[in-house]
């Protein structure tokens, strides 16, 4: 947190401090239900930061983050389910006629191993896919379509292998971790603080990456991949690593999400959720890490509100947002904010206005 | 042996449907570099157009005419989908040329709204379309092998559409203009071709073909608001595998994916089969990153 406070102008620093203090005080002023919702949004914001890293800075649009999110979620859910089942077999395996625990479920008995696998599996999958595609210079639209196919087959696989994954229902029926009930007031507050801390750490880490030499090469290969290659860099390596990191962050988000919601199913990693994740980043403003966080929280809050009031309307709103953001707000909410600030300054006849760093169009 | 022949026939029939869907995508993607995610919804529109035509025939036409409603529904589905596609191009797509990823997101939003619209108009549950009686039954090749007429009809339909496309693209002057724009937009514009009009026209044709695909899908099963989503990703894989810009690539891509999918599914399970097909596609792209048949170019990127 001190690193956050050290950066930028005095005004930014003050804003950061106020926001952080408000976030820390949230448990005091909000109800348990609202707090758990907020914690869920913050968990999703971790994923959004990762997605922004590969899309906003790497110029690679992934529609497959639902898979990485799901892998993390399933890893955590498998651990919780095994704890809940004790020595007996998880109930859905019994219904599907399995007599013994499949071998790959065994590692998930231990919490640290489940934790590591929940981060490593999505990262590895992302790394492998990135390795095979970026190395062959399959980028842009082709890569996007491949990631979408990845989502499709993963969902088919998870639904098809019902005896291993719980099928369409997913993994449900667990409500405690280390003996604490997931939905009790105390656990909710602890989970909220854990999520908030991980989010802040993720943000700091990613901002460090973007400002480093690594991030600069990444951004350069987004804007002119061939030139970067001619300068002797290997853009594929940078993109692959970023994609793997992005997958790992999605896995972490999935694990936190399961702790807060208490269920994971294939419908949470499908094509529609995956593309919704992209909209979080697009609405907030891609290429600005804070935009990803804002987008994720705002859009999910809106989704909760609209779905409660008018369930049919959500798809119209979502679809309309896609069109509006792409056509009129290419830099998202952050871009709108910057434009407004610039406009106000110009109107006040400030002598010299430093033009904010414009991002070129990402194709 | 019987089993194998039947599987091959099934594979061919799946390939032909994939081809019909991918054809429209290949045209818009190749010509304008636009990813149209609403293509699946244009398929759905074609299917619902068929459904509405059927209901109109049942309500207003003499009972004897019902047998031919499907033939009438084909041009109607084409027309409705083409009109909506053209409107989509005029209102939205033409602001997104040269930005494939943005066009992907925006058209996906449009697709979502169209889906919800269909859900509001026709209701969320699937509706059934009864096919004319002359398409029921099948052609018995031998004791164990029966080819359903419906599937034969679809294969024939796809062949006809493909032939029409070929004739249009390679034998008419407006098709020549289309190819000219595809190969070098600015040069074609310099020589007096209205690229705007060609774009609109091409998009309408691609959408119309989606409508025909929707019409054909009513023969296979019930139709619902999310009909198109089932096929859209597979169809895009066909385009990626086949390479952009040539009809023959799309045909090969569709045949390859359809056949391998059926084969793998026969010898493993449906879910494993899909995984194998995906792995094969990624492996194939290692060898030919631009797809089976790609336009030769010397430009960078």
């Amino acid at each position: 947190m001190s690193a956050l406070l050290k950066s930028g102008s005095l005004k930014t620093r003050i804003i950061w401090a106020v926001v952080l203090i408000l976030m820390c005080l949230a448990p005091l002023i909000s109800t348990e239900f609202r707090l758990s919702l907020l914690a869920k949004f913050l968990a999703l914001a971790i994923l959004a930061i990762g997605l922004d890293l590969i899309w906003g800075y790497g110029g690679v649009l992934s529609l497959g983050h639902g898979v990485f999110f799901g892998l993390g979620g399933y890893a955590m859910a498998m651990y919780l389910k095994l704890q809940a089942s004790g020595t007996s077999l998880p109930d859905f395996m019994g219904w599907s006629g399995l007599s013994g625990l499949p071998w790959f479920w065994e590692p998930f008995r231990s919490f640290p191993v489940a934790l590591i696998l929940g981060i490593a599996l999505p990262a590895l999958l992302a790394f492998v896919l990135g390795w095979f595609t970026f190395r062959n210079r399959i980028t842009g639209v082709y890569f996007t379509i491949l990631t979408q196919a990845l989502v499709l087959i993963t969902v088919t696989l998870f639904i098809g292998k019902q005896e291993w994954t719980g099928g369409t229902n997913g993994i449900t029926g667990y409500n405690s971790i280390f003996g604490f009930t997931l939905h009790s007031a105390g656990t909710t507050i602890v989970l909220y603080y854990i999520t908030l801390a991980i989010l802040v750490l993720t943000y700091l880490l990613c901002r460090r990456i973007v400002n480093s030499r690594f991030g600069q090469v990444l951004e350069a290969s987004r804007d002119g991949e061939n030139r970067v290659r001619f300068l002797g860099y290997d853009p594929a390596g940078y993109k692959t690593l970023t994609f793997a990191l992005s997958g790992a962050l999605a896995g972490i988000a999935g694990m936190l999400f399961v702790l807060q919601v208490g269920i994971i199913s294939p419908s949470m990693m499908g094509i529609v959720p995956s593309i919704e994740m992209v909209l979080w980043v697009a609405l907030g403003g891609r290429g600005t890490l804070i935009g990803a966080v804002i987008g994720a929280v705002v859009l999910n809050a809106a989704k909760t509100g609209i779905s409660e009031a008018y369930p049919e309307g959500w798809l119209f709103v979502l679809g309309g947002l896609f069109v509006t953001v792409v056509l009129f707000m290419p830099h998202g909410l952050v871009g709108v904010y910057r434009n407004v600030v610039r406009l106000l300054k110009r109107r006040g006849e400030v002598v010299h206005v430093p033009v904010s760093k414009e991002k070129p169009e990402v194709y | 042996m019987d089993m194998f022949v039947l599987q091959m026939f099934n594979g061919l029939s799946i390939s032909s449907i994939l081809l019909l869907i991918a054809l429209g995508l290949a045209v818009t993607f190749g010509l304008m570099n636009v990813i149209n995610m609403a293509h699946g919804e244009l398929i759905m529109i074609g299917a619902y157009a068929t459904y509405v035509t059927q209901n109109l025939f049942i309500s207003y036409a003499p009972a004897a005419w019902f047998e031919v409603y499907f033939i009438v529904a084909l041009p109607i589905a084409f027309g409705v989908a083409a009109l909506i596609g053209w409107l989509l191009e005029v209102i939205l797509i033409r602001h997104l040329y040269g930005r494939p990823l943005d066009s992907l997101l925006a058209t996906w939003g449009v697709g979502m709204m169209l889906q919800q619209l269909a859900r509001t108009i026709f209701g969320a549950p699937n509706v059934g379309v009864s096919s004319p009686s002359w398409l029921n039954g099948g052609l018995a090749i031998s004791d164990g092998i029966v080819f359903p007429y419906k599937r034969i009809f679809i294969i024939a339909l796809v062949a006809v559409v493909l032939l029409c496309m070929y004739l249009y693209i390679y034998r008419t002057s407006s098709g020549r203009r289309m190819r000219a724009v595809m190969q070098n937009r600015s040069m074609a514009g310099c020589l007096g071709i209205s690229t705007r009009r060609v774009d609109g026209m091409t998009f309408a044709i691609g959408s119309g073909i989606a409508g025909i695909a929707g019409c054909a899908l009513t023969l296979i099963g019930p139709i619902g608001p999310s009909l198109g989503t089932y096929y859209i990703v597979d169809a895009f894989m066909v385009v990626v595998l086949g390479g952009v810009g040539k009809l023959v690539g799309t045909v090969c891509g569709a045949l390859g994916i359809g056949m391998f999918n059926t084969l793998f599914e026969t010898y493993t399970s449906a879910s494993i089969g899909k995984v194998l097909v995906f792995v094969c596609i990624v492996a194939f792209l290692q060898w030919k990153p631009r797809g089976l048949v790609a336009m030769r170019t010397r430009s960078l990127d």
Side-chain angles (χ1 to χ4, degrees):
Chain A
M1 278 187 204
S2 61
L4 259 188
L5 299 178
K6 261 186 276 173
S7 68
S9 65
L10 185 68
K11 212 168 80 188
T12 0
R13 271 185 259 177
I14 294 173
I15 294 176
W16 270 114
V18 171
V19 169
L20 273 178
I21 291 170
L22 278 182
M23 296 296 273
C24 290
L25 292 181
L28 295 179
I29 47 175
S30 81
T31 63
E32 197 186 310
F33 173 70
R34 295 279 159 204
L35 189 69
S36 140
L37 266 184
L38 183 61
K40 193 177 100 182
F41 302 160
L42 294 183
L44 297 176
I46 297 173
L47 180 143
I49 289 183
L51 194 57
D52 194 19
L53 210 57
I54 186 70
W55 186 31
Y57 292 90
V60 176
L61 176 57
S62 156
L63 293 182
H65 268 55
V67 170
F68 309 131
F69 176 80
L71 284 179
Y74 269 95
M76 179 58 81
M78 280 156 88
Y79 165 74
L80 293 175
K81 185 75 187 172
L82 283 175
Q83 294 302 305
S85 313
T87 48
S88 62
L89 214 56
D91 46 11
F92 64 85
M93 290 188 182
W95 302 332
S96 310
L98 232 59
S99 53
L101 200 65
W103 59 268
F104 56 85
W105 270 71
E106 289 295 345
F108 292 94
R109 278 199 191 286
S110 122
F111 183 72
V113 176
L115 206 59
I116 292 169
L117 284 177
I119 301 173
L121 285 180
L124 188 71
L125 181 64
F127 185 84
V128 170
L129 187 67
W131 172 259
F132 281 112
T133 47
F134 296 140
R135 212 177 38 129
N136 273 305
R137 306 184 191 177
I138 300 170
T139 47
V141 178
Y142 288 86
F143 180 78
T144 307
I145 293 169
L146 281 181
T147 52
Q148 198 159 41
L150 178 74
V151 173
L152 194 72
I153 60 163
T154 315
V155 171
T156 322
L157 201 62
F158 271 63
I159 292 178
K161 290 285 160 203
Q162 188 169 2
E163 65 274 25
W164 293 345
T165 60
T168 329
N169 300 327
I171 302 181
T172 53
Y174 38 82
N175 50 17
S176 66
I177 181 166
F178 306 137
F180 299 104
T181 316
L182 279 179
H183 295 291
S184 71
T187 324
T188 309
I189 292 177
V190 172
L191 277 178
Y192 171 79
Y193 278 120
I194 292 177
T195 312
L196 183 63
I198 296 180
L199 177 63
V200 171
L201 285 178
T202 309
Y203 178 79
L204 290 177
L205 171 78
C206 289
R207 214 175 56 166
R208 234 203 144 107
I209 292 176
V210 226
N211 289 332
S212 71
R213 192 189 173 79
F214 184 94
Q216 283 174 344
V217 177
L218 188 69
E219 250 181 291
S221 61
R222 171 194 72 189
D223 297 337
E225 183 160 354
N226 278 314
R227 296 188 193 183
V228 175
R229 198 172 280 126
F230 296 154
L231 287 172
Y233 290 100
D234 169 28
Y238 287 83
K239 284 184 182 171
T240 312
L241 280 182
T242 313
F243 193 47
L245 174 65
S246 183
L249 289 178
I252 295 175
M255 285 194 281
L256 289 168
F257 181 85
V258 165
L259 286 175
Q260 264 125 21
V261 180
I263 176 177
I264 184 83
S265 76
S267 65
M268 295 168 187
M269 52 198 280
I271 288 183
V272 178
S274 298
I275 201 156
E276 242 175 68
M277 293 167 187
V278 171
L279 187 59
W280 303 341
V281 179
L283 179 77
R286 64 190 172 205
T288 60
L289 292 174
I290 195 66
V293 179
I294 296 172
V297 174
V298 166
L299 214 55
N300 279 297
K303 181 180 185 175
T304 313
I306 295 171
S307 312
E308 273 170 14
Y310 180 47
E312 314 271 285
W314 174 239
L315 277 183
F316 277 124
V317 173
L318 196 63
L321 268 178
F322 266 110
V323 178
T324 318
V325 167
V326 167
L327 280 184
F328 303 112
M329 299 162 51
H331 304 294
L333 289 173
V334 172
V336 170
Y337 169 77
R338 279 185 190 156
N339 285 343
V340 169
V341 167
R342 206 184 310 160
L343 205 70
L344 287 179
K345 278 189 179 166
R346 202 174 293 159
R347 195 167 282 173
E349 292 296 326
V350 175
V351 191
H352 191 73
V353 185
V355 180
S356 72
K357 209 174 103 191
E358 278 295 327
K359 302 281 176 204
E361 286 299 328
V362 183
Y363 295 138
Chain B
M1 189 58 208
D2 286 359
M3 170 86 173
F4 186 73
V5 173
L6 262 184
Q7 290 302 339
M8 283 286 109
F9 180 74
N10 275 343
L12 192 65
S13 122
I14 291 173
S15 306
S16 62
I17 291 168
L18 272 181
L19 177 60
L20 201 53
I21 296 169
L23 215 53
L25 284 177
V27 169
T28 49
F29 188 26
L31 180 66
M32 307 188 274
N33 213 0
V34 162
I35 301 282
N36 182 17
M37 277 302 189
H39 198 74
E41 278 58 51
L42 291 166
I43 296 171
M44 171 201 78
I45 287 169
Y48 274 115
T50 314
Y51 172 70
V52 171
T53 314
Q54 174 207 251
N55 286 357
L56 287 179
F57 263 76
I58 290 176
S59 316
Y60 298 108
W65 288 17
F66 184 73
E67 292 299 302
V68 295
Y69 93 86
F70 196 76
I71 304 296
V72 180
L74 275 172
I76 290 181
F78 180 88
V80 173
L83 183 71
I84 292 180
W86 182 75
L87 280 176
L88 189 64
E89 202 272 345
V90 169
I91 296 169
L92 178 67
I93 309 275
R94 69 174 36 171
H95 305 291
L96 299 171
Y97 285 135
R99 294 155 65 187
L101 288 182
D102 283 348
S103 71
L104 185 153
L105 292 180
T107 50
W108 211 84
V110 172
M112 237 186 298
M113 289 195 278
L114 286 176
Q115 246 183 57
Q116 190 58 44
L117 200 65
R119 213 165 280 145
T120 316
I121 298 175
F122 296 99
N126 288 346
V127 293
V129 176
S130 52
S131 39
S133 58
W134 49 273
L135 279 176
N136 292 329
L139 184 69
I141 302 288
S142 71
D143 289 343
I145 308 175
V146 178
F147 293 165
Y149 284 133
K150 284 179 185 170
R151 304 235 167 205
I152 295 177
F153 179 79
I154 291 175
I155 294 175
L157 178 70
V158 175
V160 170
V161 171
L162 201 61
L163 185 71
C164 291
M165 281 299 291
Y166 175 80
L167 290 178
Y168 174 73
I169 293 180
Y170 291 99
R171 292 284 182 272
T172 64
S173 55
S174 100
R176 187 178 297 124
R177 281 198 289 275
M178 188 169 136
R179 274 186 297 148
V181 174
M182 193 189 290
Q183 279 168 15
N184 194 333
R185 176 174 290 268
S186 48
M187 184 59 80
C190 285
L191 292 172
I193 295 174
S194 164
T195 53
R196 270 277 125 89
R197 203 182 300 158
V198 172
D199 285 339
M201 180 82 176
T202 314
F203 205 83
I205 291 176
S207 310
I209 296 176
I212 293 189
C215 195
L217 283 178
T218 58
L219 291 179
I220 292 180
I223 55 177
S226 49
L227 175 78
T229 359
Y230 292 120
Y231 296 94
I232 189 80
V233 178
D234 279 346
F236 267 115
M237 295 304 278
V238 169
V239 177
V240 169
L241 182 68
V244 175
K246 287 265 164 79
L247 274 184
V248 63
T250 313
V251 175
C252 295
L255 272 177
I257 290 186
M259 285 295 184
F260 274 106
N261 209 357
T262 321
L263 272 184
F264 286 143
E265 279 184 14
T266 318
Y267 294 109
T268 56
S269 69
S271 48
I272 300 284
K274 267 213 161 1
V275 176
L276 283 177
V277 169
F278 178 72
V279 170
C280 285
I281 290 173
V282 173
F284 180 82
L285 290 177
Q286 303 299 304
W287 177 45
K288 284 199 162 205
R290 295 262 147 233
L292 270 168
V293 184
M295 255 199 267
R296 291 218 179 83
T297 165
R298 284 169 182 272
S299 67
L300 266 173
D301 282 335

Short mmCIF file of all heavy atoms in Angstrom, two decimals, chain B residues 37 54 57 68 76 85 89 96 101 108 127 133 152-153 190-191 201 207 222 249 274 285 289 293:
data_model
loop_
_atom_site.label_atom_id
_atom_site.label_comp_id
_atom_site.label_asym_id
_atom_site.label_seq_id
_atom_site.Cartn_x
_atom_site.Cartn_y
_atom_site.Cartn_z
N MET B 37 -20.24 -11.81 -35.22
CA MET B 37 -20.72 -12.75 -34.20
C MET B 37 -22.23 -12.86 -34.20
O MET B 37 -22.79 -13.75 -33.58
CB MET B 37 -20.24 -12.31 -32.82
CG MET B 37 -18.85 -12.75 -32.52
SD MET B 37 -18.76 -14.52 -32.65
CE MET B 37 -17.17 -14.83 -32.02
N GLN B 54 -44.46 -21.40 -42.29
CA GLN B 54 -45.24 -22.62 -42.09
C GLN B 54 -46.58 -22.29 -41.45
O GLN B 54 -47.63 -22.76 -41.90
CB GLN B 54 -44.45 -23.57 -41.20
CG GLN B 54 -45.22 -24.81 -40.81
CD GLN B 54 -44.75 -25.39 -39.50
OE1 GLN B 54 -44.14 -26.43 -39.47
NE2 GLN B 54 -45.03 -24.69 -38.41
N PHE B 57 -48.93 -20.71 -43.87
CA PHE B 57 -49.48 -21.69 -44.81
C PHE B 57 -50.60 -22.48 -44.14
O PHE B 57 -51.63 -22.75 -44.75
CB PHE B 57 -48.38 -22.64 -45.30
CG PHE B 57 -47.82 -22.24 -46.63
CD1 PHE B 57 -46.93 -21.18 -46.72
CD2 PHE B 57 -48.19 -22.90 -47.79
CE1 PHE B 57 -46.41 -20.80 -47.94
CE2 PHE B 57 -47.67 -22.52 -49.02
CZ PHE B 57 -46.78 -21.46 -49.08
N VAL B 68 -45.60 -27.68 -50.29
CA VAL B 68 -44.56 -26.88 -50.95
C VAL B 68 -44.08 -25.71 -50.10
O VAL B 68 -43.24 -24.94 -50.54
CB VAL B 68 -45.05 -26.31 -52.31
CG1 VAL B 68 -45.31 -27.44 -53.28
CG2 VAL B 68 -46.28 -25.44 -52.11
N ILE B 76 -37.77 -16.87 -48.73
CA ILE B 76 -38.22 -15.92 -47.69
C ILE B 76 -37.14 -15.80 -46.61
O ILE B 76 -36.76 -14.70 -46.21
CB ILE B 76 -39.56 -16.38 -47.08
CG1 ILE B 76 -40.66 -16.21 -48.11
CG2 ILE B 76 -39.88 -15.57 -45.82
CD1 ILE B 76 -42.02 -16.61 -47.62
N GLY B 85 -29.36 -8.30 -42.32
CA GLY B 85 -27.92 -8.18 -42.44
C GLY B 85 -27.52 -6.86 -43.08
O GLY B 85 -26.59 -6.19 -42.64
N GLU B 89 -25.36 -3.80 -41.52
CA GLU B 89 -24.16 -3.24 -42.15
C GLU B 89 -24.26 -1.72 -42.22
O GLU B 89 -23.32 -1.00 -41.90
CB GLU B 89 -24.00 -3.84 -43.55
CG GLU B 89 -22.59 -3.77 -44.09
CD GLU B 89 -22.30 -2.48 -44.83
OE1 GLU B 89 -23.25 -1.74 -45.18
OE2 GLU B 89 -21.12 -2.20 -45.05
N LEU B 96 -17.00 0.08 -38.45
CA LEU B 96 -16.02 -0.78 -37.78
C LEU B 96 -15.05 -1.45 -38.75
O LEU B 96 -14.37 -2.39 -38.39
CB LEU B 96 -16.75 -1.87 -36.99
CG LEU B 96 -17.66 -1.37 -35.88
CD1 LEU B 96 -18.49 -2.50 -35.33
CD2 LEU B 96 -16.85 -0.74 -34.78
N LEU B 101 -11.47 -6.91 -34.10
CA LEU B 101 -11.83 -7.27 -32.73
C LEU B 101 -12.98 -6.42 -32.21
O LEU B 101 -13.85 -6.90 -31.50
CB LEU B 101 -10.61 -7.13 -31.81
CG LEU B 101 -9.55 -8.22 -32.04
CD1 LEU B 101 -8.41 -8.05 -31.07
CD2 LEU B 101 -10.16 -9.59 -31.89
N TRP B 108 -21.39 -9.04 -31.34
CA TRP B 108 -21.82 -9.96 -30.30
C TRP B 108 -22.93 -9.33 -29.47
O TRP B 108 -23.91 -9.98 -29.11
CB TRP B 108 -20.64 -10.35 -29.41
CG TRP B 108 -20.78 -11.71 -28.88
CD1 TRP B 108 -20.45 -12.85 -29.51
CD2 TRP B 108 -21.34 -12.07 -27.62
NE1 TRP B 108 -20.75 -13.91 -28.71
CE2 TRP B 108 -21.30 -13.47 -27.55
CE3 TRP B 108 -21.86 -11.35 -26.55
CZ2 TRP B 108 -21.76 -14.16 -26.46
CZ3 TRP B 108 -22.32 -12.06 -25.46
CH2 TRP B 108 -22.26 -13.44 -25.42
N VAL B 127 -39.53 -24.16 -30.55
CA VAL B 127 -40.72 -24.48 -31.34
C VAL B 127 -40.32 -25.49 -32.41
O VAL B 127 -39.18 -25.53 -32.86
CB VAL B 127 -41.32 -23.23 -32.01
CG1 VAL B 127 -41.88 -22.30 -30.96
CG2 VAL B 127 -40.30 -22.52 -32.86
N SER B 133 -44.14 -33.84 -46.12
CA SER B 133 -44.12 -35.31 -46.06
C SER B 133 -43.15 -35.92 -47.06
O SER B 133 -42.62 -37.00 -46.83
CB SER B 133 -45.53 -35.85 -46.30
OG SER B 133 -45.98 -35.39 -47.56
N ILE B 152 -30.20 -35.90 -47.30
CA ILE B 152 -29.84 -35.82 -48.72
C ILE B 152 -30.25 -34.46 -49.29
O ILE B 152 -29.50 -33.82 -50.02
CB ILE B 152 -30.52 -36.97 -49.52
CG1 ILE B 152 -29.99 -38.31 -49.04
CG2 ILE B 152 -30.28 -36.80 -51.01
CD1 ILE B 152 -30.64 -39.50 -49.68
N PHE B 153 -31.46 -34.02 -48.89
CA PHE B 153 -31.95 -32.73 -49.36
C PHE B 153 -31.00 -31.62 -48.94
O PHE B 153 -30.67 -30.73 -49.73
CB PHE B 153 -33.35 -32.49 -48.80
CG PHE B 153 -33.94 -31.17 -49.20
CD1 PHE B 153 -34.49 -31.00 -50.46
CD2 PHE B 153 -33.93 -30.09 -48.32
CE1 PHE B 153 -35.02 -29.78 -50.83
CE2 PHE B 153 -34.46 -28.86 -48.69
CZ PHE B 153 -35.01 -28.72 -49.95
N CYS B 190 -10.23 3.36 -56.57
CA CYS B 190 -9.67 4.28 -57.56
C CYS B 190 -10.24 4.02 -58.94
O CYS B 190 -10.40 4.94 -59.74
CB CYS B 190 -8.15 4.11 -57.63
SG CYS B 190 -7.31 4.82 -56.25
N LEU B 191 -10.53 2.78 -59.23
CA LEU B 191 -11.00 2.44 -60.57
C LEU B 191 -12.50 2.60 -60.70
O LEU B 191 -13.10 2.13 -61.66
CB LEU B 191 -10.60 1.00 -60.91
CG LEU B 191 -9.08 0.85 -61.08
CD1 LEU B 191 -8.71 -0.61 -61.22
CD2 LEU B 191 -8.60 1.64 -62.27
N MET B 201 -23.76 -4.98 -50.16
CA MET B 201 -24.23 -6.11 -50.98
C MET B 201 -23.65 -7.42 -50.44
O MET B 201 -24.38 -8.39 -50.23
CB MET B 201 -23.74 -5.85 -52.40
CG MET B 201 -24.11 -6.89 -53.38
SD MET B 201 -25.76 -6.57 -53.94
CE MET B 201 -25.87 -7.85 -55.16
N SER B 207 -25.37 -12.74 -45.10
CA SER B 207 -26.45 -12.92 -44.13
C SER B 207 -27.56 -13.78 -44.71
O SER B 207 -28.15 -14.62 -44.00
CB SER B 207 -27.02 -11.57 -43.73
OG SER B 207 -26.00 -10.70 -43.36
N PRO B 222 -35.84 -29.05 -33.40
CA PRO B 222 -36.59 -27.87 -32.98
C PRO B 222 -35.71 -26.64 -33.00
O PRO B 222 -34.49 -26.73 -32.94
CB PRO B 222 -37.04 -28.22 -31.56
CG PRO B 222 -36.07 -29.24 -31.10
CD PRO B 222 -35.65 -30.01 -32.31
N GLY B 249 -11.07 -23.23 -49.72
CA GLY B 249 -10.57 -23.43 -48.37
C GLY B 249 -11.70 -23.70 -47.39
O GLY B 249 -11.61 -24.60 -46.55
N LYS B 274 -14.74 -33.77 -29.44
CA LYS B 274 -14.57 -32.33 -29.65
C LYS B 274 -13.15 -31.89 -29.25
O LYS B 274 -12.53 -31.10 -29.94
CB LYS B 274 -15.59 -31.58 -28.80
CG LYS B 274 -16.88 -31.26 -29.53
CD LYS B 274 -17.41 -29.94 -29.02
CE LYS B 274 -18.40 -29.25 -29.91
NZ LYS B 274 -18.81 -29.80 -31.13
N LEU B 285 -2.50 -25.89 -37.36
CA LEU B 285 -2.10 -24.49 -37.52
C LEU B 285 -0.61 -24.29 -37.24
O LEU B 285 -0.03 -23.30 -37.66
CB LEU B 285 -2.94 -23.59 -36.62
CG LEU B 285 -4.40 -23.45 -37.04
CD1 LEU B 285 -5.17 -22.60 -36.06
CD2 LEU B 285 -4.51 -22.83 -38.44
N PRO B 289 0.00 -21.87 -40.47
CA PRO B 289 -0.67 -20.88 -39.62
C PRO B 289 -1.76 -20.09 -40.33
O PRO B 289 -2.64 -19.56 -39.69
CB PRO B 289 0.46 -19.95 -39.19
CG PRO B 289 1.71 -20.67 -39.48
CD PRO B 289 1.43 -21.61 -40.59
N VAL B 293 -5.93 -22.99 -47.32
CA VAL B 293 -5.73 -22.23 -48.55
C VAL B 293 -5.74 -20.76 -48.19
O VAL B 293 -6.74 -20.25 -47.74
CB VAL B 293 -6.88 -22.50 -49.53
CG1 VAL B 293 -6.61 -21.79 -50.84
CG2 VAL B 293 -7.05 -23.98 -49.75
#
